[in-house]
Amino acid sequence: DVDHFKKYNDIYGHQAGDDLLVAVSKVLKQSLRRSGDHCFRLGGEAFGIVFNTDDKPSQYPSQASKKNIESLFIPHKTNTASEYVTVSMRLVTEQDYKMNDLSRIHKEAVELLYKSKENGGNLLSYN
């Protein structure tokens, strides 16, 4: 979720907001490493990534994506977390056999994401 996206849109305009979403989506897509990894827009400024991994959390694509988005150095003067565009992410992990209820996983991720954003944004947290 792009931090303070509404404020960004209000200050820089809707075209700049659209361009920002394209830039974020490109970074997210570039972070995916396996053919079964997927990135998609959930709506507004929210994106989802589904990936299969046995890696440690520090090697998940979310870690690199978050850093690479801020490294675009896109100015955002009303972002309280940084002078640049940042994102907040919530990583929900599930075993393959529990992946039959994606709506539950999405709901859990959204609830936890908003808790992270209440703490100032620019966060990556895990369940």
Side-chain angles (χ1 to χ4, degrees):
D1 196 69
V2 177
D3 294 326
H4 308 288
F5 180 73
K6 183 180 178 340
K7 290 180 182 180
Y8 184 91
N9 236 9
D10 290 346
I11 290 171
Y12 299 101
H14 293 285
Q15 184 60 55
D18 289 349
D19 294 343
L20 171 60
L21 294 176
V22 169
V24 167
S25 68
K26 285 180 181 178
V27 170
L28 294 175
K29 287 180 186 179
Q30 290 169 353
S31 71
L32 303 178
R33 298 174 292 178
R34 296 181 173 101
S35 62
D37 296 345
H38 301 283
C39 174
F40 46 93
R41 187 172 173 197
L42 292 168
E45 71 277 13
F47 294 87
I49 299 174
V50 175
F51 60 95
N52 186 4
T53 186
D54 294 325
D55 296 336
K56 297 176 186 173
S58 63
Q59 297 171 323
Y60 292 169
S62 48
Q63 190 82 353
S65 296
K66 185 181 167 313
K67 179 182 173 189
N68 291 340
I69 289 167
E70 191 166 6
S71 295
L72 293 172
F73 301 113
I74 299 171
H76 188 346
K77 61 185 172 185
T78 59
N79 186 357
T80 57
S82 171
E83 62 185 294
Y84 302 109
V85 167
T86 59
V87 295
S88 290
M89 296 182 168
R90 179 64 190 170
L91 183 65
V92 177
T93 57
E94 289 289 340
Q95 303 255 335
D96 285 344
Y97 67 90
K98 293 182 182 178
M99 289 292 292
N100 58 355
D101 188 359
L102 292 178
S103 63
R104 178 191 55 80
I105 294 168
H106 177 254
K107 182 180 178 191
E108 179 183 345
V110 167
E111 288 172 0
L112 296 170
L113 175 66
Y114 283 113
K115 287 180 183 177
S116 296
K117 290 178 79 65
E118 287 173 5
N119 291 319
N122 197 22
L123 298 170
L124 173 60
S125 50
Y126 305 91
N127 69 339

